[in-house]
Amino acid sequence: MSITKNPYDPDVTLGSGCSCGSHSSQAEHDAAEATTSDAGNESTEDILVKSVETAVVQAVFGTDMARRNFLRAVGASTAAAAIADVFPLGAAKALAAEASAKLEKSKLNVGFVPITCATPIIMAQPMGFYEKYGLDVDVIKTAGWAVSRDKSMNGEYDASHMLTPMPLAITVGSGSNATPWTMPAVENINGQAITLASKHKDKNDPKMWKGFKFAVPFDYSMHNFLLRYYVAEHGLDPDQDIQIRVLPPPEMVANLAADNVDGYLAPDPFNQRAVYDGVGFIHKLTKEIWDGHPCCAFAASQQFVDEMPNTFIALYKAIIDATQYASKQENRKEVAKAISPKNYLNQPETVVQQVLTGTFADGLGGIQKVPDRIDFDPFPYHSMAVWILTQMKRWGYIEGDVNYKAVAEQVYLATRAKEVMTEMGLTPPESTYQKYSIMGKEFDPEKAEAYAASFSIGRV
Amino acid sequence: MKPTLPLTARAALLSFILFGATVLVWQLAIESSTGTAPNMDPELAALLGPQAKGQSAFPAPMAIFDELVRHVTDPFYDAGPNDKGIGIQLAYSIGRVALGFGAAALVAIPFGFVIGMSPLFYKALDPFFQLLKPISPLAWMPLALYTIKDSNSSAIFVIFICSLWPMLINTAFGVGAVRREYLNVAKTLELGPFRTAWKVILPAAAPTIVTGMRISIGIAWLVIVAAEMLVGGTGIGYFVWNEWNNLSITNVIAAILFIGFIGMVLDQLMGRVQAAVAYAD
């Protein structure tokens, strides 16, 4: 009886599902077994040791099928000995145990808004990434970003899923009290879309959108800034020619169906959900506006980072690990299955799967195949923060002189990300600044002030 | 002349007929709106939901009944912090209402007593009550979240603030309206002020006070659903929000029926108390 799986057991499936196959997860299987078994409880140390073994065994075999066949052929103890020969399992176990012993706090609450952007934060719970780093994390569903921000600032959440502009806005005190906030990692890149109501099927040119009502999830969101950018490039003033209102993502499909809004630039699964329910169609994926744009973030207060450095690093590694796993195409179906249930996204699995795999119905009768419709890349480039700040300046969310680079470097922990990623054996990019091309217009982070003032439609 | 059934039996029969007719019309309306699915590429059809294929978004009565049975037979499951059985959710909501309402009663009844017994206080404080009473309880929510810094306590605070006014105003009014004769008799019998309050004023004002409590608990139950939709986490309001999130009309309707049922039970309980303290003049 254990809450972790024995990776040397050929009858056990690592990943989702349980060893006997009749429960949706191993935890559920074990809970059922616990009632019939009187074996003692496993200590946290045992769990940790087994997690390390699981990670190593998974890494050695790659696929579960290979592992099971191998174990059946040679037996578990031979396999364990063989792996111990080539891999210093003892050292890895000791290292993990030591890391866990240093945790200031192992029981954490992490908030999320139920959208596919939060995939790494959510999946890390059912798929055991938090556990792997000695953490016991509850992921708590939150109704919208204003509440998420307040709960984070209250300290009810140790860390949370936020939109990439939010830690910047909180730090500079735009729309809240100025509190130093950090953004250690980006969650997802791309993965948003402009969805229009089905009755607008013939209005594919944004110039025809005068008077439209659009919804975005929050003022300080990439959604708001990308929508403003997109319509402005087509000659519409987002404050004069269209109306932009804030709606929590889960309420968007209902509002689209009720004709309260003409469309939205929103996170998935709510674009795909509108197609699934036959109320809208996907006009444009945001990757066609800016390929590789950041969207959601993993964020924590400066206080948490400073006061609980070991816990923070463990959590950070769990998130980066999960993000790496999610970015692999072959894992996407498994991830979709793990995050669709009621406890997480609460969506039909096919909707989440269409978003993550990029094979989706577009609502116009076609099926599109865009594998990088959403992707996951944790690296928080400083240049992303600078771009966001230029847009906050452009539309009047911040006034006066902005020290773009200073704010970006304080909030986006790119240097920290480099260290941690290197330590985990990953290769982070060399520079924390990049140039971007957005709808054909170049953005150079070295010329931020000039960029913010370079648009014909803007408030600068 | 034909023998007629007693009134209660006839009313029950009529209730039953009305219920049956509603369900029948509902069922027929759903069936008539279920169009035939257009010829669709099966690969595409697999990616779309029933509504996109021409089915009604609104569930038939039987689907809701099945859902109700599912909830009632397994009310206490716990599948993680964001997915708990309806029994647990209702217990959270009732707990919050009990705490907020209880705290409001503890403040409103003694305070209302003092105000009711002093015409000066009554007149001086009345403008504040009149100003604070009509504020929507949910308008307090951002302020509460900001100052209390805890979402659960904020929800309880909102219940407290919305339960407070009806009880306070009714208590003050009931105490102030105790008949002079009763007080004069107490004076003649040389009762002290505390005995007068306890033995004379409280029983005399009790029906008005309990009426205030009945109004309050009704409001509290209405407000908790909205408050929990806002702060999330647990409670029947969160349950409705979570199902709305999934556009599951069936579950939303099931939750509405549960909310109505609990609201009715709370109201009936206060009704019992009201009957117990009533007296004929």
Side-chain angles (χ1 to χ4, degrees), chain A residues 75-246:
Chain A
S77 53
T78 320
I83 288 173
D85 257 2
V86 295
F87 190 89
L89 211 49
K93 284 178 193 172
L95 214 65
E98 192 191 357
S100 156
K102 283 192 294 190
L103 294 181
E104 295 86 355
K105 185 178 175 187
S106 61
K107 180 113 189 59
L108 303 176
N109 283 329
V110 174
F112 74 95
V113 174
I115 55 177
T116 42
C117 303
T119 297
I121 291 179
I122 303 170
M123 66 183 261
Q125 215 271 334
M127 300 178 78
F129 287 93
Y130 293 127
E131 201 186 309
K132 185 170 160 190
Y133 292 90
L135 297 167
D136 176 12
V137 174
D138 266 347
V139 287
I140 312 284
K141 203 186 285 194
T142 316
W145 274 288
V147 177
S148 182
R149 176 198 59 206
D150 290 352
K151 281 189 160 183
S152 299
M153 294 179 80
N154 289 350
E156 281 180 63
Y157 293 155
D158 297 290
S160 62
H161 161 211
M162 280 191 179
L163 295 154
T164 44
M166 284 171 67
L168 296 167
I170 294 174
T171 303
V172 301
S174 178
S176 69
N177 275 1
T179 311
W181 220 261
T182 72
M183 199 190 92
V186 171
E187 286 294 292
N188 66 307
I189 55 174
N190 301 336
Q192 323 302 307
I194 299 177
T195 296
L196 295 178
S198 298
K199 65 173 179 181
H200 296 308
K201 270 183 183 164
D202 54 338
K203 297 198 178 112
N204 244 327
D205 184 356
K207 290 193 176 64
M208 302 162 87
W209 292 354
K210 233 175 189 173
F212 269 29
K213 280 177 289 202
F214 279 97
V216 294
F218 200 59
D219 275 336
Y220 304 96
S221 67
M222 284 302 291
H223 311 87
N224 185 20
F225 300 142
L226 286 174
L227 180 64
R228 284 169 172 272
Y229 192 102
Y230 182 70
V231 297
E233 287 297 297
H234 285 95
L236 295 181
D237 186 319
D239 290 315
Q240 307 289 330
D241 300 326
I242 60 168
Q243 205 187 79
I244 300 180
R245 53 170 79 163
V246 172

Side-chain angles (χ1 to χ4, degrees), chain B residues 157-223:
Chain B
F157 170 77
V158 167
I159 298 304
F160 168 81
I161 205 87
C162 77
S163 314
L164 189 68
W165 311 115
M167 277 197 271
L168 190 61
I169 289 166
N170 265 42
T171 307
F173 174 78
V175 169
V178 172
R179 288 166 65 168
R180 299 302 315 167
E181 292 92 324
Y182 296 171
L183 297 176
N184 289 338
V185 171
K187 240 179 220 165
T188 319
L189 294 173
E190 297 189 337
L191 285 184
F194 285 104
R195 282 197 81 183
T196 310
W198 188 249
K199 290 274 179 188
V200 180
I201 301 177
L202 184 64
T208 331
I209 297 174
V210 175
T211 304
M213 291 171 80
R214 191 173 178 179
I215 298 171
S216 282
I217 205 148
I219 297 177
W221 188 246
L222 294 181
V223 168

Side-chain angles (χ1 to χ4, degrees), chain B residues 28-90:
Chain B
L28 289 177
I30 300 293
E31 274 171 23
S32 67
S33 74
T34 309
T36 44
N39 274 338
M40 206 183 261
D41 173 18
E43 196 188 346
L44 178 62
L47 301 179
L48 296 173
Q51 272 98 277
K53 292 175 224 156
Q55 276 185 33
S56 167
F58 214 76
M62 273 320 284
I64 292 167
F65 182 75
D66 288 345
E67 202 60 40
L68 284 175
V69 169
R70 200 176 62 76
H71 285 305
V72 170
T73 48
D74 186 14
F76 299 114
Y77 74 88
D78 185 350
N82 309 310
D83 181 16
K84 297 181 198 296
I86 195 132
I88 299 181
Q89 306 287 22
L90 284 168

Side-chain angles (χ1 to χ4, degrees), chain B residues 78-150:
Chain B
D78 185 350
N82 309 310
D83 181 16
K84 297 181 198 296
I86 195 132
I88 299 181
Q89 306 287 22
L90 284 168
Y92 270 110
S93 298
I94 294 171
R96 287 193 184 112
V97 166
L99 278 173
F101 177 81
L106 284 180
V107 172
I109 295 173
F111 198 51
F113 234 87
V114 173
I115 297 166
M117 287 170 79
S118 154
L120 174 68
F121 269 120
Y122 195 101
K123 273 208 153 34
L125 292 175
D126 196 50
F128 297 108
F129 297 160
Q130 297 308 332
L131 179 73
L132 292 171
K133 192 179 61 170
I135 296 173
S136 160
L138 288 178
W140 293 98
M141 188 54 106
L143 194 65
L145 269 177
Y146 189 76
T147 49
I148 301 176
K149 298 202 181 300
D150 179 81

Side-chain angles (χ1 to χ4, degrees), chain A residues 36-47:
Chain A
T36 54
S37 147
D38 56 358
N41 283 333
E42 221 172 3
S43 74
T44 39
E45 204 174 311
D46 291 338
I47 296 172

